[in-house]
Amino acid sequence: MAANEMSGDVYYPSEDIVNNAHIPDYDSVNDKAVADLTGFWDEIAKENFEWYAPWHTTLDDSNAPFYKWFVGAETNIVHNALDRHMHTATRNKAAIIFEGEGGDERIITYHQLNRLVCKFSNVLRDQGVVKGDVVTIYMGNIPETAVAMLACAKIGAMHSVVFGGFSSEALLGRIEDSKSKMLITCDGAWRRGKIVDLKAMATVAAEKSTSLEKMIVVQRTNHDVEMKDGRDFWYHDLMADASDKSETARLSSEDNLFILYTSGTTGRPKAILHTHGGYMVYTATTLKWVFDLKDEDVWWCAADPGWITGHSYIVYSPLVNGATSIMYEGTPDYPTPERWWQLVQKYGITILYTSPTAIRGLMKYGSELPKKYDLSSLRLLGSVGEPINPAAWKWYYEHVGNSKAPIMDTWWQTETGGFMMTPLPSVPLKPGSATRGFPGILPDVVDKDGNSVKPGEEGTLVIKGPWPSMLRTIYGDDERYLKQYWSEFKEQGWYCPSDSAKKDEDGYIWVIGRQDDVINVAGHRLGTAEIESALVSHPAVAEAAVVGLPDDVKGTIVKAFCIVNQGNETTPELGEALRAHVGKEIGAIAKPASVAFVDSLPKTRSGKIMRRVLKAQELGEDVGDLSTLAD
Ligand code: PRX
């Protein structure tokens, strides 16, 4: 069965799971939250977090959709993620357990992490970083990435993490867009036994940038790199002299925490803005309730800190909860497809949160590999990034979770900051559905007039109300924020995530996929416009269109259609060169799986490329209504 097909199977949690869960009864908590949303969050925020000064208004909706939460409060997410744990037993607990691709291991306690963050915050201050500055972070999946993020937050600077798989051009675009003056990077990152030379790419970006002044370089791979005097500094040199005493900045709840770029429908990625107070409260609460986080858990979110999943659920919310978070540098199948199962056994991991792509990738090696290891510590599993097809869900459930660990399929976005639709451990599961809203979240599936669709009908997913960790705007572009997320159902004031979905008789929601020109490859968002503009920046290409096609492992792969400029031969070598060119412009994740050369592209009379026609042709499907086709 394909993803999104509504399956009839229901999996009920064991009595043991229900009785031990933080929230044993979804309905009563959800009813309470829906009846009094602000009262609900007010109570949670007061009971579970420390604030330097209280708020006077829980939710300010007077200038909606520019919502504000915990207005008037003073806090800093780092106070809750680190400072407050220095007075409890958490101080001596492992905050981050890091394992490198090659098997090197580092266990960093809360005390040690705090010390590193204090020192690095002083380094940043010494280098002239002040509140409100944007610091770009371009690193691998190593503890220093978390240290850098937390150090920025501690002094009130915003971080902008750029995934280490992006190219120097993509990095440059994000540095320039955010006018970032400081970059933190590594000499290199380990990837399948080879070094990805992040410093070399950072240098290319730095040399072209009009805003960047300084670069701090963490040593990871120890290969030779070029350092420019006065611009480039070694992290270890600066850290050696830095004081480990550092005050956490007293910020307002609505002060900016970070921006994170994500793909949209234009060629220009959007800088999604999150703030301290609401993001802290929502991400920490969702992690605690959905994954039933307890003091003794070993939590593994197998994402990269370069994406929102890593920001919210590797770095911030586990630390705010005082949990132990695993960080693994490598890919699931290197040097062996047993790597993940080795880690689960070695560290006694109790909760594993990953993507359908990773599950399908491991599933193809068969169920013998997970069987070789003791995975009995796992008590809960999670999935994120794309719809999970029931076959992968069932494999994960049976062979990884030993048919006893429920799977939390969490639907959310960079924009939402935290889980929006998700089961809780006590909720009956249906493979392929992210079930219903987190308590207080009101998702619905509607037609274009905003009427709820009937069970089984496809419609547009909307969220009917604000939540604490919602994006505050697109940094520097309020207009685009309004247009992108709030214009489709402006009258009703609903948030529109650009996903299509169905609902079933029980009110469970089944996400189908993106409605806009965004392709979800292996759980990563890529804009068709971004890839097309990379293709046409190659001198051989006159016009380009890309579409997403179904793939057994990655969910979706990219196929490109190009019209070449006269005088260019449409050879396989050119196809390869274009794939490499996209890799250089954006990053390897955006490389088309294949490139086809065509004489024309289907367009509307107004000149808009009809990608759905190309896609239908590729899939041998009915091309549908062609009345707007020009030719
Ligand atoms: O289409 C949805 C899909 O991923 C999009 C958000 O992508 P991004 O901002 O990169 O964040 C990914 C990780 C939170 C959504 O609009 N998506 C995410 N999770 C799910 C999903 N689709 C179906 N089921 C999910 N659990």
Side-chain angles (χ1 to χ4, degrees):
M1 187 162 56
N4 332 312
E5 257 177 66
M6 294 203 257
S7 121
D9 301 338
V10 184
Y11 289 68
Y12 293 90
S14 68
E15 235 175 72
D16 188 41
I17 285 179
V18 177
N19 292 339
N20 284 307
H22 284 302
I23 308 295
D25 175 24
Y26 167 86
D27 288 309
S28 65
V29 178
N30 186 48
D31 290 350
K32 184 177 160 195
V34 172
D36 177 13
L37 187 73
T38 49
F40 175 76
W41 285 112
D42 192 75
E43 193 181 312
I44 290 174
K46 273 187 192 137
E47 276 178 14
N48 299 292
F49 304 87
E50 287 185 5
W51 304 80
Y52 299 127
W55 50 97
H56 52 72
T57 309
T58 309
L59 169 66
D60 176 359
D61 55 5
S62 59
N63 188 25
F66 296 95
Y67 292 96
K68 292 190 168 110
W69 284 85
F70 310 112
V71 187
E74 285 180 348
T75 189
N76 187 315
I77 196 166
V78 176
H79 177 84
N80 282 279
L82 294 173
D83 304 2
R84 66 166 166 166
H85 302 314
M86 295 307 110
H87 315 294
T88 69
T90 307
R91 178 176 189 272
N92 305 318
K93 183 177 174 180
I96 295 175
I97 297 181
F98 168 75
E99 172 127 344
E101 192 183 73
D104 50 320
E105 172 188 308
R106 269 169 83 189
I107 298 180
I108 304 174
T109 66
Y110 274 87
H111 167 75
Q112 291 169 320
L113 183 63
N114 183 51
R115 206 165 163 267
L116 291 171
V117 171
C118 284
K119 283 176 136 237
F120 197 56
S121 66
N122 285 327
V123 167
L124 292 176
R125 285 189 182 109
D126 288 348
Q127 294 298 321
V129 177
V130 297
K131 184 180 169 197
D133 281 356
V134 177
V135 174
T136 302
I137 300 176
Y138 179 59
M139 290 167 74
N141 198 348
I142 56 171
E144 284 75 12
T145 306
V147 170
M149 292 164 75
L150 291 159
C152 289
K154 188 173 172 83
I155 64 171
M158 281 182 267
H159 54 75
S160 165
V161 182
V162 178
F163 172 57
F166 278 122
S167 68
S168 52
E169 288 302 313
L171 172 64
L172 174 65
R174 287 156 176 77
I175 291 173
E176 294 298 282
D177 187 76
S178 62
K179 301 189 178 62
S180 181
K181 288 186 284 192
M182 168 66 85
L183 173 65
I184 302 160
T185 189
C186 305
D187 49 357
W190 289 111
R191 189 88 185 156
R192 300 184 168 278
K194 298 206 181 75
I195 291 172
V196 182
D197 199 335
L198 293 177
K199 172 66 174 79
M201 288 192 277
T203 299
V204 172
E207 264 149 30
K208 292 187 188 166
S209 169
T210 55
S211 62
L212 200 77
E213 293 166 6
K214 288 181 181 168
M215 197 186 317
I216 299 177
V217 187
V218 174
Q219 212 165 30
R220 169 66 188 146
T221 46
N222 288 315
H223 68 293
D224 274 343
V225 297
E226 231 176 273
M227 298 288 282
K228 186 173 165 184
D229 256 1
R231 184 194 65 192
D232 303 349
F233 304 88
W234 285 112
Y235 172 88
H236 55 263
D237 287 344
L238 300 176
M239 287 291 270
D241 299 332
S243 152
D244 61 3
K245 301 275 174 294
S246 170
E247 282 280 311
T248 301
R250 223 177 137 121
L251 303 175
S252 101
S253 171
E254 280 294 326
D255 271 334
N256 298 338
L257 173 59
F258 67 82
I259 54 172
L260 182 59
Y261 284 89
T262 187
S263 297
T265 46
T266 73
R268 200 161 61 88
K270 301 172 289 192
I272 303 303
L273 176 68
H274 286 286
T275 56
H276 276 253
Y279 177 84
M280 164 177 87
V281 170
Y282 192 80
T283 55
T285 308
T286 49
L287 175 62
K288 182 170 169 186
W289 290 7
V290 172
F291 286 100
D292 199 38
L293 203 63
K294 306 267 168 57
D295 213 17
E296 58 275 23
D297 275 312
V298 179
W299 158 254
W300 184 16
C301 168
D304 188 282
W307 307 106
I308 190 68
T309 310
H311 281 56
S312 299
Y313 297 107
I314 297 177
V315 180
Y316 286 113
S317 71
L319 296 176
V320 172
N321 279 299
T324 295
S325 188
I326 297 274
M327 220 181 196
Y328 174 57
E329 185 181 34
T331 50
D333 56 352
Y334 183 87
T336 129
E338 299 174 19
R339 196 73 180 98
W340 276 22
W341 317 133
Q342 292 168 348
L343 293 177
V344 171
Q345 176 174 297
K346 178 175 176 187
Y347 295 110
I349 290 166
T350 58
I351 314 170
L352 169 61
Y353 182 46
T354 184
S355 66
T357 293
I359 298 161
R360 288 189 297 260
L362 292 169
M363 181 175 148
K364 73 175 189 240
Y365 296 103
S367 52
E368 288 311 309
L369 298 188
K371 258 201 206 85
K372 282 171 61 181
Y373 294 88
D374 180 7
L375 306 184
S376 62
S377 55
L378 287 171
R379 62 179 194 92
L380 278 169
L381 301 173
S383 174
V384 60
E386 55 180 312
I388 180 163
N389 51 309
W393 195 101
K394 287 177 187 165
W395 187 85
Y396 192 31
Y397 185 77
E398 282 167 24
H399 301 292
V400 181
N402 196 19
S403 301
K404 67 178 176 53
I407 300 174
M408 304 296 109
D409 179 356
T410 59
W411 178 94
W412 58 295
Q413 304 182 298
T414 306
E415 291 85 343
T416 70
F419 312 147
M420 297 296 283
M421 286 193 292
T422 172
L424 300 177
S426 54
V427 166
L429 305 173
K430 300 184 187 186
S433 168
T435 72
R436 292 168 292 177
F438 184 80
I441 302 294
L442 300 171
D444 197 5
V445 184
V446 300
D447 64 20
K448 60 179 182 346
D449 299 319
N451 305 307
S452 297
V453 298
K454 293 200 192 72
E457 279 177 17
E458 189 172 333
T460 298
L461 182 65
V462 293
I463 308 290
K464 297 176 163 177
W467 65 99
S469 69
M470 60 200 307
L471 77 162
R472 296 306 193 258
T473 188
I474 295 173
Y475 186 58
D477 202 344
D478 289 348
E479 279 302 307
R480 195 173 173 197
Y481 168 69
L482 292 173
K483 184 156 176 279
Q484 177 72 44
Y485 304 106
W486 302 96
S487 61
E488 202 164 331
F489 298 100
K490 191 172 173 193
E491 231 166 84
Q492 298 90 335
W494 297 337
Y495 172 79
C496 190
S498 298
D499 272 13
S500 59
K502 289 181 190 175
K503 232 169 26 177
D504 68 16
E505 301 280 352
D506 299 326
Y508 276 41
I509 293 178
W510 300 69
V511 173
I512 295 169
R514 299 290 303 182
Q515 279 182 331
D516 55 7
D517 291 325
V518 167
I519 306 179
N520 190 332
V521 180
H524 299 142
R525 262 161 83 169
L526 297 166
T528 48
E530 266 171 278
I531 307 175
E532 287 161 2
S533 87
L535 284 164
V536 297
S537 74
H538 189 281
V541 179
E543 280 189 70
V546 303
V547 298
L549 300 175
D551 180 78
D552 282 349
V553 173
K554 293 185 170 174
T556 312
I557 49 169
V558 174
K559 173 153 186 178
F561 298 84
C562 296
I563 303 175
V564 295
N565 286 312
Q566 269 191 350
N568 288 284
E569 280 197 49
T570 55
T571 57
E573 290 73 37
L574 179 61
E576 255 324 294
L578 294 179
R579 292 184 62 242
H581 183 68
V582 174
K584 183 177 147 280
E585 291 292 308
I586 305 175
I589 45 165
K591 275 188 188 174
S594 62
V595 178
F597 296 106
V598 293
D599 296 326
S600 67
L601 291 169
K603 285 186 191 156
T604 61
R605 287 186 197 96
S606 60
K608 206 167 173 268
I609 296 169
M610 294 177 80
R611 296 185 188 85
R612 70 172 171 83
V613 173
L614 289 168
K615 184 167 175 175
Q617 278 175 341
E618 275 303 305
L619 298 177
E621 289 172 354
D622 180 14
V623 290
D625 176 16
L626 288 180
S627 56
T628 57
L629 190 67
D631 187 359

